[in-house]
Amino acid sequence: MCSLFFSYDHQNYARYTMVYFLSLLNISETHPGAEELLRHNGFSVKRSQIPMSRNAVDITIEQTINRHAKCHGGIIGFSRNYSAYHRWCTTRHSRAGYQQATMEMADMDNMESTSHKGLKSSHIINSEQDTCKVLAAFHNFVNPFVVENKNVLYCLSSGAPVSDEIEHDLLQADNIGKQAYDKFVTQRLVEGTVSFHHPIKKCKLKTFVQLAKSCKISGQSKKTKEVKAERNVFGQLVLLAMKHDISMERVFSFSLGSVPWALATADGVPVKTDKAKLMHALVGESNTIERPAGETTYIVH
């Protein structure tokens, strides 16, 4: 995973994942006893008798102390009062414990259940429906094992083949990331020739995003610019309208793209989504017309 952070230019993750990794390697020396605690499920919490239902510590905090803090009676209303805020932070874990005990006494939060919620009949039906939807979505994609030219890399969502440059970057992303990873460790952690916080050079690998349609235009200054089809046209128009006198009503009287982004990609290839959803939406917005009795001729205009 560290190599992929370097490959796709996630500098913060790439930098501090190394710190986390080194902390785990030296945990026996820096924090004696922590490794033994982790081996005995010290990183998770079990709040019920249901088997295989342990939660991570941070999730447990979100579901208990932080959840009670954000509900009625929490911090809302006095967050700007420093004294009240300080007293609340000091005693909020006790308040959360009292609230949890009250819920258990009222039988509103039973922790003694021995069956998973996912085994209930309603959950089984919903899970089966979700599974069918996932399978239907995969069937709408391109099957990479039945394409004509198997020597070319295809985008599963659009079915379009990629260029040789994009194919090289996608297939060699792991190796390129490992080289950047090794260089980072050697220069900044082992030898110390480069500062740890020095900017990390980006790899700038090409991905399927570069498949977006683009064209080159030349203006009066005889400079050639490359124009790409992007989704953030509205945001760019808002920024331009703030600096220039642009009528948004006039702008939106024209189409912002050659094709609707919800139905097709920039090159006109249909989006691999559930087309039945569009049909159901159109039917829901239409009025039901009853068929007239007798012989009738319909004229569709």
Side-chain angles (χ1 to χ4, degrees), residues 153-173:
L153 186 64
Y154 290 86
C155 178
L156 296 181
S157 59
S158 64
V162 302
S163 62
D164 295 338
E165 187 177 3
I166 297 178
E167 180 180 355
H168 174 269
D169 288 348
L170 289 173
L171 297 180
Q172 298 297 324

Side-chain angles (χ1 to χ4, degrees), residues 211-244:
L211 289 177
K213 187 177 181 180
S214 61
C215 61
K216 294 183 179 181
I217 58 175
S218 299
Q220 297 179 355
S221 59
K222 297 182 180 181
K223 292 183 179 180
T224 303
K225 297 182 180 180
E226 185 176 13
V227 180
K228 295 183 179 180
E230 298 180 352
R231 290 180 178 268
N232 59 347
V233 178
F234 178 74
Q236 296 177 3
L237 290 175
V238 172
L239 292 177
L240 291 174
M242 295 173 61
K243 298 180 180 179
H244 305 281

Side-chain angles (χ1 to χ4, degrees), residues 4 15 41 71 73 78 112 138 149 155 157 176 185 216 250 269 284:
L4 295 179
R15 189 191 312 276
N41 298 325
C71 297
F78 60 89
E112 297 180 357
F138 277 113
N149 188 0
C155 178
S157 59
I176 296 175
V185 173
K216 294 183 179 181
R250 173 66 175 170
V269 179

Side-chain angles (χ1 to χ4, degrees), residues 157-160 211-214 229 231 257-272 275:
S157 59
S158 64
L211 289 177
K213 187 177 181 180
S214 61
R231 290 180 178 268
S258 56
V259 292
W261 285 98
L263 301 178
T265 58
D267 54 358
V269 179
V271 177
K272 304 296 182 179
K275 306 302 185 300

Side-chain angles (χ1 to χ4, degrees), residues 4-141:
L4 295 179
F5 289 149
F6 282 95
S7 300
Y8 294 108
D9 302 330
H10 295 281
Q11 284 90 346
N12 290 335
Y13 284 105
R15 189 191 312 276
Y16 292 104
T17 301
M18 299 303 307
V19 178
Y20 176 73
F21 181 63
L22 291 176
S23 299
L24 290 179
L25 291 179
N26 300 316
I27 193 172
S28 299
E29 299 178 1
T30 57
H31 298 80
E35 182 178 359
E36 189 67 19
L37 177 63
L38 294 176
R39 291 185 182 275
H40 289 83
N41 298 325
F43 53 86
S44 60
V45 179
K46 186 175 183 180
R47 301 175 58 203
S48 67
Q49 300 301 322
I50 302 176
M52 306 296 293
S53 62
R54 303 183 69 93
N55 287 332
V57 176
D58 56 341
I59 296 178
T60 304
I61 295 176
E62 288 289 342
Q63 295 176 347
T64 54
I65 299 177
N66 291 349
R67 176 173 175 267
H68 298 321
K70 298 174 183 177
C71 297
H72 179 71
I75 195 174
I76 299 175
F78 60 89
S79 59
R80 295 184 178 181
N81 189 330
Y82 178 78
S83 300
Y85 177 73
H86 183 267
R87 289 194 301 269
W88 179 85
C89 291
T90 305
T91 60
R92 71 169 182 164
H93 64 284
S94 300
R95 295 173 181 268
Y98 292 144
Q99 183 174 352
Q100 183 65 32
T102 304
M103 297 286 288
E104 294 177 359
M105 290 177 62
D107 199 19
M108 298 176 63
D109 192 1
N110 188 7
M111 296 294 180
E112 297 180 357
S113 177
T114 58
S115 61
H116 287 276
K117 294 182 178 180
L119 297 179
K120 296 181 179 180
S121 58
S122 59
H123 286 267
I124 294 176
I125 295 175
N126 293 334
S127 299
E128 182 66 22
Q129 293 176 352
D130 294 338
T131 303
C132 293
K133 292 179 181 179
V134 172
L135 292 176
F138 277 113
H139 290 159
N140 288 330
F141 292 159

Side-chain angles (χ1 to χ4, degrees), residues 284-301:
E285 296 293 334
S286 62
N287 298 324
T288 304
I289 302 177
E290 297 181 358
R291 179 179 180 182
E295 296 182 358
T296 308
T297 301
Y298 295 92
I299 299 178
V300 180
H301 177 65

